[in-house]
Amino acid sequence: MTDFPSFEIPGRTALVTGAARGIGRAIALTLANAGADVAIGLRDASADAGLTAEIEALGRRVLPLQMDMASPEQIRAAVDAVVERFGRLDILVNNAGIAPGNPAEHVTEADFDHTLAVNLKGTFFASQAAGRVMIRQGYGRIVNLGSQAGAVALPGEAVYCMTKAAIAHLTRCLAIEWGPHGITVNAVAPTFVETPGNADYLAEPANRAEVLERIAALHRLGEPMEVAGAVLFLVSPAASLVTGEVMLIDGGWTSR
């Protein structure tokens, strides 16, 4: 093998769920910048916050989609729409997720069911719908958004941690099952990142100080583009031999 590693993905079509803001938005823009056309899954397809225009400004085609990850029907319809519009689906990034903080003794059945519906059930059925397309193509790249919370315990986040641990193992299972079809399945597991979803928690000085202390090696929060860079690597030709892996992007948190 004499070719140098490539991180460009021209001619590919990607679907990024939960793309309206934060990490999902950064991933969508990063994949477009690397050459992919991008479908953006949104809980409200009319509220893309300018993302469509930003992707088009990069010279790529874009398709906003109504895609509530708690609805398998919307998931299947969104994947069908991608194939109808672009003719194929090469990359799926399962970014959408929720993290309602709640001490275990106060979790209701409704809380439990909704978190699993979005984080775990949604990830599985989006992977299934995309996987069926990728099996027909003989090619695909799936990246799941895990979390350091899948490897370490976060107080008040028992249900969230459970879903992210499950996603780590789902990633391995799908990698083994779909590898013979030319599909790789990996996950990235970030630490606390500066996003709207973390803003309220990190606005509390005590919470922010504790998080910075626990990010043991770098002592700083992550940025969405730092997660997007890892996703780009995993869907690029440079990572063609990488599958079934969960890449921690945690600034040293879990090495402590």
Side-chain angles (χ1 to χ4, degrees):
M1 185 174 180
T2 57
D3 293 339
F4 289 109
S6 171
F7 300 90
E8 298 299 311
I9 49 174
R12 297 300 186 190
T13 295
L15 168 59
V16 181
T17 71
R21 62 181 190 167
I23 292 172
R25 185 184 187 89
I27 291 170
L29 289 168
T30 294
L31 298 183
N33 186 64
D37 295 320
V38 183
I40 51 175
L42 306 166
R43 189 171 55 183
D44 179 358
S46 66
D48 74 349
L51 181 57
T52 294
E54 289 186 60
I55 293 173
E56 289 176 338
L58 292 169
R60 309 311 311 165
R61 295 181 294 172
V62 59
L63 177 64
L65 294 165
Q66 177 65 40
M67 198 173 184
D68 183 340
M69 294 302 288
S71 168
E73 293 78 12
Q74 287 192 20
I75 290 170
R76 287 189 289 268
V79 170
D80 289 345
V82 175
V83 176
E84 181 178 355
R85 170 71 180 276
F86 298 117
R88 59 186 298 116
L89 175 57
D90 302 295
I91 297 164
L92 169 66
V93 182
N94 280 310
N95 168 73
I98 58 173
N102 203 356
E105 64 270 25
H106 298 314
V107 172
T108 66
E109 186 175 2
D111 296 335
F112 184 97
D113 289 347
H114 186 56
T115 304
L116 263 66
V118 174
N119 292 6
L120 192 53
K121 184 177 178 179
T123 293
F124 177 84
F125 282 105
S127 297
Q128 181 193 69
R132 288 168 173 166
V133 176
M134 293 172 178
I135 288 169
R136 294 197 300 268
Q137 294 171 170
Y139 177 90
R141 298 288 181 264
I142 297 175
V143 179
N144 298 321
L145 260 290
S147 169
Q148 67 180 20
V152 297
L154 298 181
E157 299 281 1
V159 181
Y160 174 74
C161 291
M162 178 180 64
T163 64
K164 293 304 183 178
I167 283 172
H169 200 58
L170 173 64
T171 296
R172 300 180 189 102
C173 292
L174 294 181
I176 297 304
E177 190 164 344
W178 290 345
H181 301 287
I183 302 168
T184 66
V185 186
N186 292 288
V188 294
T191 187
F192 285 87
V193 175
E194 292 273 22
T195 66
N198 286 327
D200 289 344
Y201 181 82
L202 294 172
E204 294 291 335
N207 293 343
R208 193 176 190 92
E210 181 184 12
V211 166
L212 292 176
E213 173 59 25
R214 289 302 304 265
I215 300 177
L218 300 180
H219 294 291
R220 67 173 178 83
L221 297 171
E223 295 291 338
M225 282 297 178
E226 293 178 303
V227 181
V231 173
L232 176 59
F233 164 67
L234 290 171
V235 304
S236 75
S240 57
L241 195 59
V242 181
T243 196
E245 293 299 320
V246 179
M247 181 186 293
L248 282 159
I249 310 169
D250 69 350
W253 184 302
T254 56
S255 295
R256 187 169 183 168

